[in-house]
Protein backbone atom coordinates (compact mmCIF):
# COMPACT_ATOMS: atom_id res chain seq x y z
CA UNK A 1 0.00 0.00 0.00
CA UNK A 2 1.45 3.37 -1.02
CA UNK A 3 2.12 5.84 1.83
CA UNK A 4 -0.09 8.98 1.71
CA UNK A 5 2.93 11.25 1.10
CA UNK A 6 3.91 9.19 -1.94
CA UNK A 7 0.33 9.16 -3.22
CA UNK A 8 0.03 12.96 -2.97
CA UNK A 9 3.45 13.55 -4.54
CA UNK A 10 2.64 11.37 -7.55
CA UNK A 11 -0.77 13.00 -8.07
CA UNK A 12 0.73 16.50 -7.92
CA UNK A 13 3.42 15.41 -10.35
CA UNK A 14 0.75 14.08 -12.69
CA UNK A 15 -1.05 17.44 -12.71
CA UNK A 16 2.17 19.31 -13.50
CA UNK A 17 2.98 16.89 -16.31
CA UNK A 18 -0.45 17.31 -17.88
CA UNK A 19 -0.09 21.10 -17.69
CA UNK A 20 3.07 21.32 -19.80
CA UNK A 21 1.73 18.80 -22.33
CA UNK A 22 -1.40 20.90 -22.83
CA UNK A 23 0.87 23.92 -23.27
CA UNK A 24 2.78 22.18 -26.07
CA UNK A 25 -0.40 21.19 -27.88
CA UNK A 26 -1.80 24.73 -27.56
CA UNK A 27 1.16 26.19 -29.48
CA UNK A 28 1.21 26.59 -33.26
CA UNK A 29 4.79 25.28 -33.51
CA UNK A 30 4.89 22.22 -31.25
CA UNK A 31 8.54 21.42 -31.88
CA UNK A 32 9.59 24.92 -30.83
CA UNK A 33 7.28 24.84 -27.81
CA UNK A 34 8.73 21.50 -26.73
CA UNK A 35 12.20 23.00 -27.20
CA UNK A 36 11.17 25.84 -24.87
CA UNK A 37 10.18 23.31 -22.20
CA UNK A 38 13.53 21.54 -22.59
CA UNK A 39 15.47 24.81 -22.49
CA UNK A 40 13.56 26.07 -19.46
CA UNK A 41 14.23 22.84 -17.58
CA UNK A 42 17.94 23.10 -18.44
CA UNK A 43 18.19 26.72 -17.24
CA UNK A 44 16.45 25.94 -13.95
CA UNK A 45 18.58 22.82 -13.48
CA UNK A 46 21.82 24.73 -14.07
CA UNK A 47 20.73 27.38 -11.56
CA UNK A 48 19.99 24.85 -8.79
CA UNK A 49 22.72 22.23 -9.28
CA UNK A 50 25.58 24.25 -7.69
CA UNK A 51 23.72 24.05 -4.37
CA UNK A 52 23.23 20.29 -4.46
CA UNK A 53 25.59 17.33 -4.05
CA UNK A 54 26.69 15.32 -7.05
CA UNK A 55 24.86 12.04 -7.58
CA UNK A 56 26.90 9.08 -6.41
CA UNK A 57 29.05 7.27 -8.95
CA UNK A 58 26.68 4.32 -9.37
CA UNK A 59 23.93 6.59 -10.72
CA UNK A 60 25.83 8.05 -13.69
CA UNK A 61 25.46 5.12 -16.11
CA UNK A 62 21.70 5.24 -15.58
CA UNK A 63 21.71 9.01 -16.05
CA UNK A 64 23.49 8.60 -19.38
CA UNK A 65 21.01 5.99 -20.62
CA UNK A 66 18.02 8.01 -19.49
CA UNK A 67 19.33 11.22 -21.10
CA UNK A 68 19.55 9.46 -24.46
CA UNK A 69 16.04 8.05 -24.06
CA UNK A 70 14.68 11.48 -23.12
CA UNK A 71 15.95 12.93 -26.40
CA UNK A 72 13.67 10.51 -28.23
CA UNK A 73 10.87 11.17 -25.77
CA UNK A 74 10.72 14.92 -26.38
CA UNK A 75 10.94 14.49 -30.16
CA UNK A 76 8.03 12.05 -30.13
CA UNK A 77 5.94 14.31 -27.89
CA UNK A 78 6.18 17.12 -30.44
CA UNK A 79 5.51 14.78 -33.36
CA UNK A 80 2.45 13.22 -31.72
CA UNK A 81 0.86 16.58 -30.88
CA UNK A 82 1.38 17.71 -34.47
CA UNK A 83 -1.01 14.93 -35.51
CA UNK A 84 -3.59 14.50 -32.78
CA UNK A 85 -5.33 16.07 -29.80
CA UNK A 86 -4.24 15.80 -26.19
CA UNK A 87 -7.25 13.59 -25.46
CA UNK A 88 -5.92 10.95 -27.86
CA UNK A 89 -2.12 11.22 -27.84
CA UNK A 90 -1.52 11.99 -24.17
CA UNK A 91 -3.37 9.00 -22.67
CA UNK A 92 -1.64 6.66 -25.11
CA UNK A 93 1.83 7.99 -24.33
CA UNK A 94 1.30 7.90 -20.60
CA UNK A 95 -1.01 4.93 -20.19
CA UNK A 96 0.62 2.16 -22.17
CA UNK A 97 3.81 2.59 -20.16
CA UNK A 98 2.79 1.20 -16.73
CA UNK A 99 2.23 -2.36 -17.87
CA UNK A 100 5.57 -2.31 -19.67
CA UNK A 101 7.28 -0.83 -16.61
CA UNK A 102 5.67 -3.35 -14.27
CA UNK A 103 6.69 -6.25 -16.48
CA UNK A 104 10.27 -4.99 -16.74
CA UNK A 105 10.49 -4.32 -12.99
CA UNK A 106 9.24 -7.86 -12.33
CA UNK A 107 11.65 -9.51 -14.78
CA UNK A 108 14.73 -7.40 -14.00
CA UNK A 109 14.28 -6.29 -10.38
CA UNK A 110 12.03 -8.96 -8.90
CA UNK A 111 9.41 -6.37 -7.85
CA UNK A 112 6.34 -8.61 -8.01
CA UNK A 113 3.00 -6.95 -7.37
CA UNK A 114 0.22 -8.66 -5.40
CA UNK A 115 -2.76 -9.84 -7.51
CA UNK A 116 -4.80 -6.71 -6.81
CA UNK A 117 -1.92 -4.57 -8.01
CA UNK A 118 -1.71 -6.48 -11.28
CA UNK A 119 -5.45 -6.03 -11.77
CA UNK A 120 -4.88 -2.30 -11.33
CA UNK A 121 -2.10 -2.24 -13.91
CA UNK A 122 -4.30 -4.20 -16.35
CA UNK A 123 -7.20 -1.80 -15.76
CA UNK A 124 -5.00 1.22 -16.51
CA UNK A 125 -3.75 -0.46 -19.67
CA UNK A 126 -7.26 -1.47 -20.76
CA UNK A 127 -8.39 2.13 -20.42
CA UNK A 128 -5.60 3.24 -22.71
CA UNK A 129 -6.52 0.66 -25.34
CA UNK A 130 -10.08 1.92 -25.22
CA UNK A 131 -8.75 5.42 -25.88
CA UNK A 132 -6.87 4.20 -28.94
CA UNK A 133 -9.98 2.73 -30.55
CA UNK A 134 -11.33 6.22 -31.15
CA UNK A 135 -8.61 7.11 -33.68
CA UNK A 136 -10.12 7.78 -37.10
CA UNK A 137 -8.15 10.06 -39.45
CA UNK A 138 -4.87 9.05 -41.07
CA UNK A 139 -3.02 11.61 -38.96
CA UNK A 140 -4.57 10.15 -35.83
CA UNK A 141 -3.44 6.65 -36.78
CA UNK A 142 0.07 8.03 -37.21
CA UNK A 143 -0.24 9.72 -33.81
CA UNK A 144 -1.26 6.40 -32.24
CA UNK A 145 1.92 4.78 -33.55
CA UNK A 146 4.08 7.65 -32.35
CA UNK A 147 2.41 7.69 -28.93
CA UNK A 148 2.82 3.95 -28.43
CA UNK A 149 6.47 4.18 -29.46
CA UNK A 150 6.87 6.90 -26.85
CA UNK A 151 5.19 4.67 -24.27
CA UNK A 152 7.98 2.16 -24.77
CA UNK A 153 10.55 4.93 -24.28
CA UNK A 154 8.75 6.09 -21.14
CA UNK A 155 8.82 2.55 -19.75
CA UNK A 156 12.54 2.26 -20.52
CA UNK A 157 13.58 5.54 -18.92
CA UNK A 158 11.27 4.95 -15.94
CA UNK A 159 13.07 1.69 -15.28
CA UNK A 160 16.52 3.25 -15.77
CA UNK A 161 15.71 6.20 -13.53
CA UNK A 162 14.06 4.03 -10.91
CA UNK A 163 17.32 2.14 -10.55
CA UNK A 164 19.53 5.22 -10.97
CA UNK A 165 17.82 7.45 -8.43
CA UNK A 166 18.13 4.76 -5.77
CA UNK A 167 21.90 4.80 -6.32
CA UNK A 168 22.19 8.59 -6.54
CA UNK A 169 21.84 9.53 -2.88
CA UNK A 170 19.79 12.60 -3.86
CA UNK A 171 16.63 12.44 -5.96
CA UNK A 172 16.52 16.15 -6.88
CA UNK A 173 20.16 16.28 -7.96
CA UNK A 174 19.61 13.20 -10.12
CA UNK A 175 16.54 14.79 -11.74
CA UNK A 176 18.28 18.08 -12.51
CA UNK A 177 21.34 16.40 -14.01
CA UNK A 178 19.04 14.34 -16.19
CA UNK A 179 17.36 17.41 -17.69
CA UNK A 180 20.67 19.21 -18.11
CA UNK A 181 22.33 16.27 -19.89
CA UNK A 182 19.37 15.71 -22.20
CA UNK A 183 18.89 19.37 -23.12
CA UNK A 184 21.57 19.89 -25.79
CA UNK A 185 20.84 16.78 -27.89
CA UNK A 186 17.09 17.33 -27.48
CA UNK A 187 17.29 20.90 -28.77
CA UNK A 188 19.33 19.77 -31.78
CA UNK A 189 16.78 17.03 -32.46
CA UNK A 190 13.83 19.40 -32.20
CA UNK A 191 15.21 22.46 -33.99
CA UNK A 192 18.06 21.12 -36.11
CA UNK A 193 21.66 22.40 -35.80
CA UNK A 194 21.04 25.45 -38.00
CA UNK A 195 17.67 26.20 -36.41
CA UNK A 196 19.21 26.03 -32.94
CA UNK A 197 21.95 28.52 -33.89
CA UNK A 198 19.31 30.92 -35.24
CA UNK A 199 16.86 30.42 -32.38
CA UNK A 200 16.06 33.64 -30.53
CA UNK A 201 13.08 33.14 -28.20
CA UNK A 202 11.22 36.28 -27.18
CA UNK A 203 11.06 37.33 -23.50
CA UNK A 204 7.47 36.08 -23.40
CA UNK A 205 8.55 32.74 -24.85
CA UNK A 206 11.29 32.47 -22.23
CA UNK A 207 8.71 32.95 -19.49
CA UNK A 208 6.74 30.04 -20.98
CA UNK A 209 10.00 28.10 -21.09
CA UNK A 210 10.60 28.59 -17.39
CA UNK A 211 7.00 27.69 -16.58
CA UNK A 212 7.05 24.56 -18.70
CA UNK A 213 10.52 23.62 -17.51
CA UNK A 214 9.44 24.05 -13.89
CA UNK A 215 6.43 21.81 -14.49
CA UNK A 216 8.48 19.04 -16.06
CA UNK A 217 11.17 19.19 -13.36
CA UNK A 218 8.57 19.20 -10.61
CA UNK A 219 6.62 16.39 -12.21
CA UNK A 220 9.52 14.03 -12.71
CA UNK A 221 11.32 15.01 -9.54
CA UNK A 222 8.25 14.07 -7.50
CA UNK A 223 7.95 10.76 -9.36
CA UNK A 224 11.61 9.86 -8.80
CA UNK A 225 11.39 10.82 -5.13
CA UNK A 226 8.36 8.54 -4.84
CA UNK A 227 10.35 5.70 -6.38
CA UNK A 228 12.84 5.99 -3.51
CA UNK A 229 9.97 5.46 -1.05
CA UNK A 230 7.83 2.81 -2.76
CA UNK A 231 8.09 0.01 -5.37
CA UNK A 232 8.58 1.20 -8.94
CA UNK A 233 5.60 -0.43 -10.69
CA UNK A 234 2.74 1.05 -8.59
CA UNK A 235 4.38 4.50 -8.59
CA UNK A 236 4.74 4.40 -12.39
CA UNK A 237 1.16 3.22 -12.85
CA UNK A 238 -0.37 5.72 -10.42
CA UNK A 239 1.50 8.49 -12.22
CA UNK A 240 -0.68 7.76 -15.24
CA UNK A 241 -3.58 9.47 -13.48
CA UNK A 242 -1.98 12.49 -15.18
CA UNK A 243 -4.27 11.46 -18.03
CA UNK A 244 -7.30 12.50 -16.01
CA UNK A 245 -5.77 15.92 -15.44
CA UNK A 246 -4.88 16.05 -19.13
CA UNK A 247 -8.46 15.42 -20.21
CA UNK A 248 -9.82 18.13 -17.92
CA UNK A 249 -7.18 20.69 -18.93
CA UNK A 250 -7.62 19.89 -22.62
CA UNK A 251 -11.34 20.56 -22.25
CA UNK A 252 -10.89 23.79 -20.27
CA UNK A 253 -7.87 25.26 -22.08
CA UNK A 254 -8.06 23.86 -25.61
CA UNK A 255 -11.78 23.29 -25.95
CA UNK A 256 -11.25 19.62 -26.86
CA UNK A 257 -14.34 17.50 -26.39
CA UNK A 258 -13.51 13.90 -25.50
CA UNK A 259 -16.45 11.64 -26.30
CA UNK A 260 -18.05 9.06 -24.07
CA UNK A 261 -15.51 6.43 -25.09
CA UNK A 262 -12.60 8.50 -23.85
CA UNK A 263 -14.34 9.45 -20.61
CA UNK A 264 -15.10 5.76 -20.06
CA UNK A 265 -11.45 5.00 -20.68
CA UNK A 266 -10.49 7.70 -18.16
CA UNK A 267 -12.79 6.13 -15.59
CA UNK A 268 -11.17 2.75 -16.20
CA UNK A 269 -7.77 4.31 -15.62
CA UNK A 270 -8.97 5.94 -12.39
CA UNK A 271 -10.33 2.59 -11.19
CA UNK A 272 -6.99 0.98 -11.93
CA UNK A 273 -5.20 3.69 -9.94
CA UNK A 274 -7.55 3.07 -6.99
CA UNK A 275 -6.79 -0.65 -7.08
CA UNK A 276 -3.10 0.14 -7.04
CA UNK A 277 -3.66 2.31 -3.97
CA UNK A 278 -5.27 -0.62 -2.18
CA UNK A 279 -2.75 -3.25 -3.32
Amino acid sequence: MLPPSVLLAVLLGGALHAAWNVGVRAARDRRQETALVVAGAAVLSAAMLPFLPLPQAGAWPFLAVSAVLNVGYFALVAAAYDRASVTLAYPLMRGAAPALTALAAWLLLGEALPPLGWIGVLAVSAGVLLMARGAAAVTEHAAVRLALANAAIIAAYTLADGMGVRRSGHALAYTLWLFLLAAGPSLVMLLGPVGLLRWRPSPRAMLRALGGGGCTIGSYGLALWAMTRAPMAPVAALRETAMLFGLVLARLVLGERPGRRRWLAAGTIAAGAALLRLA
Side-chain angles (χ1 to χ4, degrees):
M1 194 169 183
L2 295 177
S5 60
V6 171
L7 177 67
L8 291 174
V10 175
L11 290 176
L12 175 58
L16 292 173
H17 193 276
W20 77 257
N21 272 259
V22 169
V24 169
R25 172 62 185 175
R28 291 184 178 180
D29 188 333
R30 279 95 188 201
R31 296 181 73 85
Q32 180 166 277
E33 197 68 20
T34 305
L36 285 172
V37 172
V38 171
V43 168
L44 292 172
S45 297
M48 289 186 282
L49 279 171
F51 304 99
L52 298 174
L54 281 172
Q56 295 178 11
W60 287 96
F62 298 96
L63 268 170
V65 170
S66 184
V68 171
L69 291 169
N70 270 270
V71 174
Y73 166 73
F74 284 115
L76 287 172
V77 164
Y81 287 140
D82 268 340
R83 294 164 176 82
S85 65
V86 170
T87 57
L88 175 63
Y90 188 59
L92 288 173
M93 284 189 287
R94 300 309 315 176
L100 297 173
T101 303
L103 180 61
W106 173 49
L107 292 174
L108 300 178
L109 304 179
E111 288 189 356
L113 282 171
L116 192 60
W118 280 112
I119 293 172
V121 171
L122 290 173
V124 172
S125 302
V128 171
L129 292 175
L130 187 59
M131 288 276 191
R133 291 187 61 189
V138 173
T139 54
E140 287 193 336
H141 286 296
V144 168
R145 292 191 292 271
L146 291 167
L148 291 176
N150 218 8
I153 288 179
I154 291 167
Y157 76 58
T158 298
L159 185 63
D161 290 336
M163 293 185 288
V165 75
R166 293 174 181 180
R167 292 166 170 80
S168 70
H170 200 288
L172 180 58
Y174 181 97
T175 305
L176 298 179
W177 273 108
L178 171 59
F179 284 111
L180 191 60
L181 291 172
S186 295
L187 291 174
V188 172
M189 178 72 75
L190 289 163
L191 302 173
V194 176
L196 180 58
L197 290 174
R198 296 176 177 174
W199 195 38
R200 298 291 185 274
S202 67
R204 185 175 180 179
M206 284 307 301
L207 287 176
R208 295 203 312 274
L210 294 175
C215 283
T216 192
I217 287 173
S219 169
Y220 205 43
L222 287 168
L224 291 182
W225 174 84
M227 289 179 189
T228 67
R229 299 293 190 273
M232 194 180 304
V235 168
L238 185 61
R239 191 174 181 234
E240 306 319 314
T241 54
M243 281 178 285
L244 302 177
F245 296 111
L247 286 173
V248 173
L249 288 175
R251 178 69 182 91
L252 295 176
V253 178
L254 305 177
E256 295 181 7
R257 295 180 177 273
R260 292 180 181 178
R261 182 195 302 273
R262 291 182 186 175
W263 280 116
L264 176 60
T268 305
I269 293 164
L275 290 173
L276 282 162
R277 176 70 178 93
L278 296 172

